[in-house]
Each structure stands twice: as structure tokens, then as C-alpha cells.
Amino acid sequence: MPKVEGCPFCPENIQARVPLFSEDILPDGRLSKGECLLFPNMFPFAEHHAVATLTKQHFVGIGGFQPRSVADNLSCVLQYVEVVHRRDRRARYPIYIWNHLPPSAASIVHPHTQAIVDRRPTPYQRRLLAASRAYHRRHGRSFWQDLAIEERHRGERYIGENRSLWAVASYAPQGNREVQLIFKKGSSLDGLEEEQVGDFADALARVLRGYAGMGVDSFNLSTFSGPLGVELPYYSLHARVISRPVLRAYYRNDTGPLERLHHEADIEVAPEAVAQALRPFFGPSIPS
């Protein structure tokens, strides 16, 4: 495997370049399974934010990801989520994110995912949970189960299914070629069993191979999980995948999955810093 100078996630660099968790969080500092290595995000969006590599290979085309690599990666993330929630019971809302290549807002080409566990849901996740609860109260059924069954019956947007989940093209997509992977059982990430992890990895690999056939090479993925530690009868864990523009030289993207799929902006400069920098341009304060 050729060396890629400067890539912190490549095998010859990763042990020295990426940080460690403190021993009270993870005694070994990191988690690993197969080719996946999970470690703290150096530039976190939340108090609990990890990064997990998918392969030792620096570049993998969108159609080349193997289900085993995805399953190992998700398994590491689920272990991290469990550790975080055990230490911080208020951290109840996990998100599994995968940005592939710069058009998806990935800052590093080497394949990797992210795991966030927050004390509050994102604005969109809060809306999903509230609307799902309202639907259940009104009809006595789960919206997500009804959605999948209705889409399969109509056949227009139904893609396929396996033992654990349905795949459907979104009726009201938030991005190009949006696909929803809806779990048949379970409302949160911490309830996933090994079979479900494998089925998710297989379904996602199929979607990505299909994207490759459409000429797509970049994508975003995000899960939408209910709160940890409770099973919600009105909600189904699901993920959304959207395609992003074709990779080209010098491409820079300023929107990622939080903006596109969670309706939550990821800003780089605190508003207080903006005010401090701009205040001198306005001179003395104008009396009210």
C-alpha cells in the first residue's frame, strides 16, 4: 500500500498523529475492530465526538466499500456510544455520520465516519420525534412502519429490504438521490444487534454501488436515533443517504450532514468573536 504523506489516518501515521481518550473513558485510549480505529475528534462539535476510520486504504471509490468494513466501523461506534452513555447518562442522543470526499464536507480523503453523542437532539431530530409521537397518538400505529409498508405496496419509491430494514427513496428528499434505510425493529442506536449491524452494512454497500453506477462519487449519511436507554413504540431508527456533487480539483464545501440533514449549522467562529472583531469598525456606540 503506497504511503500518503501528511494523511493522519494512514497506517504509518495514525498511531502518532491522532489523539487518545483519557484512561477514565477508554483504558487503551482508542477502540479498534478489523481495520477500524476510533479516537477523539480534535475539532469536536459536541462534548462527546469521535472519529472512526473505515479502512487502512487511503482512498476507496464509492462503489468499493465492503460490508465487513462498514459493520466493523459501526460496531466500534456503538461501543463508544455505550461507553459515553454509561459515564454521562444525560448524553442520550447519538448520531452516526459519514461524509465521503470534499464535496460532502469531508476535510480528509481517507475514509472515516464520526460519532456524536449529545445531551439534546438536533432541531430536526426533535421535530421527527414529536411528529412521530403525535402520529402514534392519533392513529395508534408507528408512522415509520406505515411509511415502509405503504411504499412497498405502491412500489414507486420502494427499493428493497432485508431481514432488518427497508430501503426507500424519500418522498420529500432533502438532497439528491436521497435514500432512507428504516429499521424494522428498534428506535435507537444502542438497541442494535449484530445481525442488524450486518444487514445495515450490506444495504448501505448496495446503495453506494448503485450510486457509483449513477456516476456519483461523494455522499453524506446520517442516522436519526431516538434517545438511548428507552424503546419508543412510535419511532424507528433510520438513516438517510444523499449524493453530493462530483469531486473536482480545488473543491471546497461549507455544508455537511448537520446542515443538510439535521437543520443545525456548524459554525467555525463564535458570535462573541465576530462582535469583537467588527466592533471597532462601528466606532463609539450610538445612544438608544
Side-chain angles (χ1 to χ4, degrees):
M1 183 183 305
K3 292 185 177 182
V4 178
E5 288 193 27
C7 175
F9 295 172
C10 278
E12 64 275 7
N13 300 325
I14 194 166
Q15 294 297 333
R17 295 282 299 276
V18 303
L20 295 165
F21 285 103
S22 60
E23 290 187 5
D24 63 315
I25 298 176
L26 290 174
D28 294 331
R30 298 164 182 149
L31 293 173
S32 64
K33 184 173 183 179
E35 295 188 23
C36 173
L37 186 70
L38 182 145
F39 45 89
N41 191 326
M42 293 182 68
F43 306 101
F45 303 158
E47 183 177 352
H48 308 291
H49 190 172
V51 174
T53 58
L54 276 139
T55 70
K56 293 181 179 179
Q57 192 172 341
H58 178 70
F59 175 81
V60 179
I62 193 172
F65 289 102
Q66 299 302 311
R68 174 45 53 194
S69 297
V70 179
D72 287 346
N73 181 275
L74 180 54
S75 294
C76 271
V77 165
L78 295 179
Q79 189 176 347
Y80 169 72
V81 169
E82 180 183 359
V83 168
V84 168
H85 186 54
R86 189 166 59 240
R87 295 183 73 256
D88 181 0
R89 305 306 289 185
R90 293 181 296 170
R92 303 177 64 211
Y93 295 95
I95 308 174
Y96 177 63
I97 293 172
W98 186 353
N99 308 326
H100 186 59
L101 300 183
S104 72
S107 58
I108 295 178
V109 168
H110 196 118
H112 63 284
T113 66
Q114 300 178 54
I116 296 173
V117 191
D118 212 339
R119 295 177 180 178
R120 60 173 180 83
T122 63
Y124 187 64
Q125 180 67 5
R126 184 181 292 112
R127 288 174 57 195
L128 282 179
L129 290 168
S132 299
R133 184 168 54 248
Y135 183 94
H136 188 265
R137 287 175 177 171
R138 189 179 308 118
H139 301 284
R141 302 187 307 273
S142 165
F143 165 81
W144 300 97
Q145 304 293 313
D146 282 0
L147 171 66
I149 293 170
E150 181 67 18
E151 291 289 16
R152 183 172 61 184
H153 172 71
R154 289 175 177 265
E156 299 168 307
R157 290 169 294 275
Y158 174 78
I159 298 171
E161 63 186 276
N162 57 31
R163 296 166 298 183
S164 301
L165 52 83
W166 295 283
V168 299
S170 298
Y171 173 74
Q174 298 183 58
N176 284 319
R177 303 176 182 86
E178 182 176 304
V179 175
Q180 292 190 72
L181 301 175
I182 305 170
F183 281 89
K184 297 179 179 179
K185 183 180 72 171
S187 63
S188 66
L189 276 172
D190 66 338
L192 285 184
E193 300 171 354
E194 184 176 355
E195 179 179 271
Q196 292 174 295
V197 171
D199 286 348
F200 173 82
D202 180 74
L204 180 56
R206 292 174 186 273
V207 170
L208 298 183
R209 288 199 297 272
Y211 273 5
M214 298 177 190
V216 172
D217 56 16
S218 178
F219 71 93
N220 289 117
L221 173 142
S222 178
T223 59
F224 297 83
S225 172
L228 300 171
V230 61
E231 182 63 29
L232 303 179
Y234 54 82
Y235 190 77
S236 292
L237 171 67
H238 61 284
R240 293 186 178 189
V241 194
I242 59 173
S243 68
R244 300 306 299 271
V246 174
L247 179 65
R248 55 178 59 90
Y250 310 116
Y251 194 99
R252 182 185 183 277
N253 195 301
D254 64 352
T255 61
L258 291 179
E259 292 92 348
R260 295 298 300 271
L261 296 171
H262 285 270
H263 302 182
E264 183 163 287
D266 169 27
I267 62 171
E268 298 177 354
V269 183
E272 294 79 7
V274 174
Q276 184 176 6
L278 294 179
R279 203 171 287 131
F281 291 88
F282 280 75
S285 298
I286 300 174
S288 57

